[in-house]
Amino acid sequence: MNEDDKYLFDLNGYLILRQVLTPDEVAELNAGIDHHADGMKAIERSLSGDSRAMRGTSRRKDLGGMLAWERPFCEPFRKLLVHPRVKPILEEVLGKGYRLDHGPGLIAMDEGCEGGTLHGGGVERGDISEAYFYKNDKIYTGLTVVEYLLADEGPGDGGVAVVPGSHKANLACPQSMKFWDSHQEHVLEVNGQAGDVVIFTETLTHGTLPWTAKHQRRAVLYKFSPGTLSYGSGPHEVAYGDYIEDMTAEERAVMEAPHIRRG
Ligand SMILES: O=C(O)CCC(=O)C(=O)O
């Protein structure tokens, strides 16, 4: 992680890395999703709540379990646990020995899909597993999201959105802003192309804008924690099971339960 990226991550709470995946890699990941498309389910609970601006005509579809898929479909998803462009950044902000907390999970949205209300924000994240602070020349953050875009998210399409700098907010985000019903000019729609990666601290206020593009939105989210912390109930969901036995040693290390190991 170079000094500019470190500055920008601390300043804004997120980073965008361009062209991390080649078009072939994106196609391989999408092929795995297409092959398992029967498992893609519209979520039961609306994510737009009482928002007016985030309403839509359909709900987001989710799909998980990629790391346990049969070969070759699991392989490109496993590689993303330790991608050479992403790993050094996670080691900087989470520390060596960072671990997969939960995920990966696909977010798929079709044209007209509702948004998801903004959540997070410095003051609203009281627990150490979601904290963000800077001390002794070092970034400390809890749960951190790595979002691989598998479809373009262009201007006005909707999709992932953030409030830059809000990971350090001292006051709660107004409810109408979380609903995107007010102060829209302070909510940044993050744009990128398939193969780009968005990394953000979960402490940042973020959410999903309604999807307006003709093509299906696809983003795969990996949620990582420092090696000693757990946010989800779940190291056991990801850490045990036959499927990790044939991972590479580097991939398997990311699956371990939290403990005081250091890479
Ligand atoms: O739509 C997105 O990418 C944001 C997802 C989100 O809000 C979350 O994972 O907490």
Side-chain angles (χ1 to χ4, degrees):
M1 188 179 198
N2 65 34
E3 288 306 304
D4 288 12
D5 284 346
K6 203 167 159 184
Y7 170 77
L8 292 171
F9 186 83
D10 178 61
L11 178 73
N12 292 321
Y14 73 96
L15 271 185
I16 305 175
L17 311 183
R18 304 289 178 194
Q19 296 182 323
V20 171
L21 303 176
T22 64
D24 283 351
E25 287 171 323
V26 171
E28 207 183 1
L29 290 153
N30 273 321
I33 292 165
D34 292 338
H35 187 79
H36 295 85
D38 285 353
M40 224 192 273
K41 298 272 180 277
I43 56 171
E44 286 174 12
R45 188 176 61 88
S46 166
L47 295 178
S48 58
D50 293 328
S51 159
R52 290 187 305 278
M54 285 188 168
R55 272 186 213 147
T57 51
S58 64
R59 293 199 183 146
R60 168 182 128 174
K61 293 179 201 153
D62 286 357
L63 178 67
M66 292 83 168
L67 300 180
W69 282 350
E70 69 280 26
R71 288 184 185 275
F73 299 111
C74 60
E75 290 164 12
F77 290 93
R78 291 181 179 188
K79 285 184 190 158
L80 301 189
L81 293 167
V82 289
H83 191 285
R85 288 265 310 271
V86 172
K87 184 173 175 176
I89 294 172
L90 294 179
E91 289 190 331
E92 181 73 42
V93 302
L94 293 172
K96 286 191 189 294
Y98 71 83
R99 51 179 290 276
L100 181 70
D101 192 284
H102 57 281
L106 170 77
I107 294 179
M109 296 169 79
D110 294 316
E111 186 183 10
C113 181
E114 66 169 2
T117 55
L118 301 175
H119 50 282
V123 78
E124 285 137 310
R125 298 291 197 183
D127 188 88
I128 189 74
S129 68
E130 307 169 88
Y132 182 93
F133 56 93
Y134 192 90
K135 193 172 157 69
N136 296 338
D137 283 339
K138 192 177 153 20
I139 290 170
Y140 288 86
T141 183
L143 193 70
T144 296
V145 184
V146 178
E147 183 157 341
Y148 289 88
L149 304 190
L150 300 188
D152 294 351
E153 299 194 18
D157 288 350
V160 60
V162 299
V163 179
S166 55
H167 57 312
K168 300 182 191 174
N170 293 310
L171 299 173
C173 181
Q175 187 58 53
S176 61
M177 183 168 164
K178 287 186 190 165
F179 283 161
W180 202 47
D181 285 331
S182 69
H183 310 302
Q184 288 192 353
E185 68 278 20
H186 296 283
V187 180
L188 179 80
E189 182 195 88
V190 179
N191 296 139
Q193 295 191 317
D196 292 350
V197 173
V198 187
I199 302 179
F200 58 94
T201 166
E202 179 75 22
T203 317
L204 189 71
T205 303
H206 64 280
T208 310
L209 301 187
W211 189 250
T212 64
K214 295 259 174 258
H215 67 276
Q216 184 176 67
R217 176 187 182 214
R218 284 188 177 183
V220 182
L221 279 66
Y222 290 69
K223 304 211 172 177
F224 295 101
S225 286
T228 51
L229 284 181
S230 183
Y231 168 90
S233 58
H236 310 292
E237 284 166 31
V238 294
Y240 304 112
D242 291 345
Y243 70 91
I244 70 160
E245 298 303 323
D246 65 345
M247 285 182 161
T248 66
E250 189 186 16
E251 291 164 359
R252 220 168 31 233
V254 180
M255 308 296 287
E256 284 182 29
H259 64 87
I260 194 68
R261 82 193 144 88
R262 278 290 170 259

